[in-house]
Amino acid sequence: MAKRILIIDDEDDIREVAQLTLEAVGGFEVLTAESGSEGIIKAETEQPDAILLDVMMPEMDGITTFKQLQANSLTSNIPVILLTAKVQASDQRRFAELGITGMVPKPFDPMTLTDQVVEVLGWQY
Amino acid sequence: MRNRSARKKVKERKLWLPILVGTCVFILNLLLWQGLLFQERLQIKRNVEIVTVDISEDITSEIKTRTHALKRMAERWELEGGTPRSQWEEDATNYLRDYKGYQALEWVDNLSFIRWIVPQKGNEGVENRALLFESNRQIAMNTAKQTRNPTITRVVSLFQGGKGFLIYVPLFLKNNTQQDTQVGAKEQNFDGFIVGVVRPKPFLDAIINKNLMQDYAIAIFDKDQEFYTNELYQNINKEYTNKWGFYTEVNLNGVNWRLRVVPTLSLLARQHSPLADIILVGGSVAAILIAIVVYMTFNLRLYANTVEQINLNLSHEISERQKVEASLQQSTAQLEDLYNNAPCGYHSLDKNGIFIQINDTELSWLGCKREEVIGKKITDYFTTENALDFETSFSVLKERGYQKDLELLLVRKDGTKMPVLVSASAIKDAAGNFIMSRSTLFDISERKQTQDALSESEERFRGAFANASTGMALVSPQGKWLQVNQSLCQMIGYSEQELLATTFQAITHADDLDIDLSYVQQMLKGEISTYQMSKRYFHKLGHIVWVLLSVSLVWDKTGKPLYFVSQIQDVTDRKRAEVKLRNLSNALESAVEGIAQIDIGGFYISVNYAYAEMLGYEQEEMVGMESKMSVHPEDLEKVTYAYQEMLNKGKSEVEARTLRKDGSIFDRQIVMVKNCNQEKLIGHYCFVKDISDRREVERLKDEFVSVVSHELRTPLTSIRGSLGLVANGVLQAQPEKAQRMLEIAVNNSDRLIRLINDILDIERIESGKVMMNKQICDAALLMTQSTEVMQAMAEKAGVSIKLNSVSARLWADADRIIQIFTNLLSNAIKFSPPGSTILFNAKVGNEQNENIPHIIFEVKDQGRGIPEDKLEAVFERFQQVDASDSRKKGGTGLGLAICRSIIQHHDGNIWVESVLSQGSSFYVSLPVISAPKPTILSNETNTPTVLVCDDDHSARTVIQTMLEEGGYQTITVASGLEAIEIAKQSLPDVIFLNLMMPGMNGWEALTILKQQPETQDIPVIILSGFMPDAKLGTNHPEVNDWIVKPPNEKNLFEALERALSKSDDNLNDNLKVLIVEDDIDLAQVLIAMFERYGIETHHARNGREAIQLSQSLTPYLLVLDIALPDVDGFAVVDWLRHHNHLHQVPLVVYSAIDLTEADCARLNLGQTLFLTKARVTPEEFEQRAIGLLNCIVSGKKEGRRNGKAHSHH
């Protein structure tokens, strides 16, 4: 059974690319959400195996979304990988403190994206 | 006085008698002397007489003797019948030997020839001489012959030379045979003569007694001829001869001589008896003596009288004295009493210093009895040192006669010493010998004590004064330095002498002088007893010395001020320190940085204003506060660590959050510096800076960077991802997907480009690096253009744009404004649902700003709208309203931010109003600039003046109104006379002249006007009810025009213009305009315009032509386009400027772009007008250019007129 990954990112193109990447390369089933709030709802309902979460989003940013996911019992156990352009050390530290499982920097090499996801999640494909 | 004159008189009286007596005796004596002398003379005379006679007798006898001898010779001859020659010569020689004095003896024969002569020697040439014709001789010979006696000749010249006489002894031969009775017989016997030739001198010298020869001067005269003188006679004085000489006669044979004998002086002298002289002298002396005797006798008598008188007085005196003595004795007793009991000691010493007298007081001092002291040496009663001094002064006393104020120590009998002051005088006798001293002694023991005490205290004071470390001085009430100590001298650099010669005012700084003097006055008046002030002295070297002056005043017993006592402390250093401190303090206080001093315990000692303010406290309340309190608890550790670091290194720096009094937090940069006092830590200083702003800025920057970075990465992510997929061939099986990926890549690349551009753009705008290219734009045009640009996009989105353009004059960068509009439209399109309409309009109004009109553009969409809280935020950078933002639609997130920036640079405003889900309206306001004022043709600065002359008031009014509305200046007059006057004064451009006027009518006025040189050129328009006379007609040479009343406006103005232009005709002929414009169309427009005014226009297509044409014709006006193909406008202007006749050419610069001030300066020639093509409409250009031209023309007219008028004055 293919793993299902939820991509939460406000940028259409990125979602598209990421989706294609994960589907084509990783063979994952990909769900997308445009915003943090949408993402939470989808996470609750769809219960994906992992969430790829963008940090910089209007309205509800990635961290807030994450916290909410953590707070939400339905989603708290879903591993979350941050997909972010914010890659400075201070940021990394912050994210780590929060309990993020992994981080993928933007821009990403689509090939490695899949690998990273897999590695982080400890899956095999 | 009386005595003296009386005495004088007496003396005179005394004198005359002896004088008289003496004189008498003297006179008698003189007489006697004279008598004696007289007697003597007589005697002498007698003697001389005797001698003379003697001599005469001598001579006579002598000659007789000699003659006798000769006669014997002659007798012999006679007897012998002639002696033979040799015999005769022998005889003669013998004779000559016996009888001295002969020159020669001769025998002269009877024929009177000298035959024989002896001696031969000396008588050469005489022999055989004839004597026949010698008269004197002949006389003597004849006489001798006749008398038969020797005869002497007179004194004759001898043949031998010289003078002499001859004694002729005739020779008659004795003939026994003959008788002497016959004469002839005598004759026959004559045998010549024997002649004795005598030179008188030797002869007489021999004869005369030698003795007599010595004593007497003898001369013998033969008649008057002097033939003999003895030696003495030769030197004799004639007068003397006359006085003493004596004459006698010597008679000899044949001659009578006169003998003169004069006694010699020596003889006289010898004969002179001194008796007379003795008598004289003696007598004189006697006279004097007698006089003296008489005088003395006289005196004696007087003296005797005086003595008697004195005696009388003396006896009188004695009796008086006796009386006095009695009282004297009385006084003496008193005196003695006084002497002895005087409050001072008296004593007298003899020349050896032994007491000969001493008063009781002194005795009591000494503690001795009189008997003990008298006879003792005074030095016994002095100390040994004093004794020596005494001896010295005693000698001085004896010499000088006085001694004063000697301080000596008297040794009492009991051994105690007593200081005394001794003064003494010496009593001397008549001879000047010291008899004794008389001394006065004062007990000065008390005085001495006080003196000692005083001098001691004085010494102490002086010491204190001189050695004081502060300056001390005594100053006179007038300010003169009386005394100064070393410290003061050193302080102000003057020497003691220099200071003592001057006053304190002289070295006091002017600013301090008044205060000082006022204090002084107060002290002198007694209002204050002391004062203290800081003041400045001028050091000798010129620099200022700050001192602290303390002054008090010393008064004398009478209440007069004596002197000031001043203490002067050099406070220069202190002052300097004070100033430094003050400066420092000020600096500290005014420091922007907060500065605090903290003690070891960590408590504030003091804080400056900035520090307190930073923390929100008052300065005072912070003192004693614990400094830790203001540090945010979380940063406390950091601060403590920094404190430790400071202790180690002396200084440390830390950034920490700080708590204000009100609890608010801000970021602070703290610099801590150790404060040590001689190695010992006494606390530390804190220098703090509020770095909130900095933080904020940093934060913003970081944020921006991260945001930008994020924004850049986002499209990059898409690109990377999409391309990566394609590149890896993952999508080989899905070509449409691959294609899609490429699309994404491309799109995002574009997005990236746009983003980067926008970022750069906004950065440039905001940093001011971009110059807005402002110019005059029309709002409508901009709106239209923007709409056109967005039309395609709108269509694509299925949205329509409704444009309502409004024209307005804007001063803006057109491109940028279009950028704004397109941006707004783009946003509107993006957010408008398909089928909706976007409204794009504008409104001019003053809503925003009262003074400046604005135009407000509106872009209204019917989109989702913007939530109220985001209405401001949308203009921020990278703000997304929500996920479905324009970002998706390709926006960069900077659009509105850029718009705002641009608007800010245009002094405008941008804002948005929105209703959610209904739509948003974006507003842009920009200031509108006003159009330039319209210029009135030909009336710009020199409005033509019209003089209206009409006696009819209403007519005047009508015309005036008409003219003024037409823009002319009018002057109205009511009569011809006035018209002439006013015309002369004001020199109007045209004169409207009515004909029918009382007094001077129009024609008359006209004539005069045309006669006056000032007014003859002014065009005259007749304004009359009458029609122009057929005869006179409108061709009247002096009338420009004829208008029939009531005037038609059109006719009026036409005539006016004609008149004006006619007067300008002369000038207009010369009016040339050069248009330099490469755009032919534009040039033609300009040319046409100018020609309408009848102005000769020339056209140059480029700079070179322009220059050429300028040379050939002198344009009145130059219209220049700056942008020319070859030589640009600047160059043309430069060239023109360098040519004399062209450098003042008025210029209209017509350029496509706005010129900077620098450019304008370069283009200045004469009057220059700068017009920008975009800014100025063609009509405006015309107005301005013609206006300028008119200006020039009138100016020239004025100049000419002035010139004319002037020349006639």
Side-chain angles (χ1 to χ4, degrees), chain B residues 690-819:
Chain B
D690 184 341
I691 54 170
S692 325
D693 297 339
R694 200 171 73 186
R695 275 287 158 78
E696 185 63 28
V697 167
E698 276 171 12
R699 198 181 57 75
L700 282 172
K701 203 170 72 171
D702 285 338
E703 212 182 286
F704 180 67
V705 166
S706 83
V707 164
V708 168
S709 143
H710 179 268
E711 289 300 311
L712 290 172
R713 280 174 201 279
T714 306
L716 269 174
T717 310
S718 304
I719 295 167
R720 181 69 185 80
S722 58
L723 288 177
L725 280 176
V726 175
N728 272 298
V730 172
L731 300 172
Q732 268 183 356
Q734 300 162 60
E736 349 59 58
K737 289 271 167 94
Q739 191 63 30
R740 175 77 192 121
M741 286 297 110
L742 291 175
E743 265 177 46
I744 288 174
V746 169
N747 288 339
N748 278 287
S749 301
D750 288 338
R751 180 168 150 194
L752 203 53
I753 291 166
R754 279 197 305 276
L755 183 62
I756 289 167
N757 283 339
D758 276 355
I759 290 169
L760 290 173
D761 205 9
I762 200 167
E763 278 309 307
R764 274 208 301 259
I765 292 171
E766 295 209 339
S767 70
K769 288 212 190 84
V770 162
M771 273 286 288
M772 297 281 156
N773 208 357
K774 291 186 189 170
Q775 51 180 301
I776 297 194
C777 338
D778 182 31
L781 190 63
L782 298 174
M783 290 172 83
T784 314
Q785 283 178 331
S786 321
T787 314
E788 278 174 25
V789 166
M790 297 314 291
Q791 202 58 44
M793 184 180 163
E795 275 175 19
K796 217 194 297 184
V799 175
S800 61
I801 304 172
K802 187 159 183 291
L803 170 66
N804 263 342
S805 60
V806 168
S807 195
R809 211 186 176 83
L810 300 173
W811 182 247
D813 185 336
D815 292 332
R816 291 292 185 179
I817 302 298
I818 290 173
Q819 185 179 0

Side-chain angles (χ1 to χ4, degrees), chain A residues 10-17 20-21 23-25 34-35 54 56 58-59 84-88 106-111, chain B residues 706-707 709-710 713-714 716-718 720-722 724-725 728 730-731 734 737 740-741 744 748 751 880-883 887-888:
Chain A
D10 60 312
E11 286 283 325
D12 298 343
D13 290 346
I14 294 177
R15 276 200 316 274
E16 209 177 315
V17 171
L20 197 53
T21 308
E23 285 174 354
V25 178
E34 227 177 28
S35 65
D54 178 29
M56 292 284 282
E59 286 185 70
T84 181
K86 281 199 161 186
V87 290
Q88 281 148 321
K106 288 190 202 176
F108 53 81
D109 177 0
M111 312 316 294
Chain B
S706 83
V707 164
S709 143
H710 179 268
R713 280 174 201 279
T714 306
L716 269 174
T717 310
S718 304
R720 181 69 185 80
S722 58
L725 280 176
N728 272 298
V730 172
L731 300 172
Q734 300 162 60
K737 289 271 167 94
R740 175 77 192 121
M741 286 297 110
I744 288 174
N748 278 287
R751 180 168 150 194
Q880 283 176 263
V881 175
D882 57 25
R887 196 80 68 76
K888 288 191 155 173

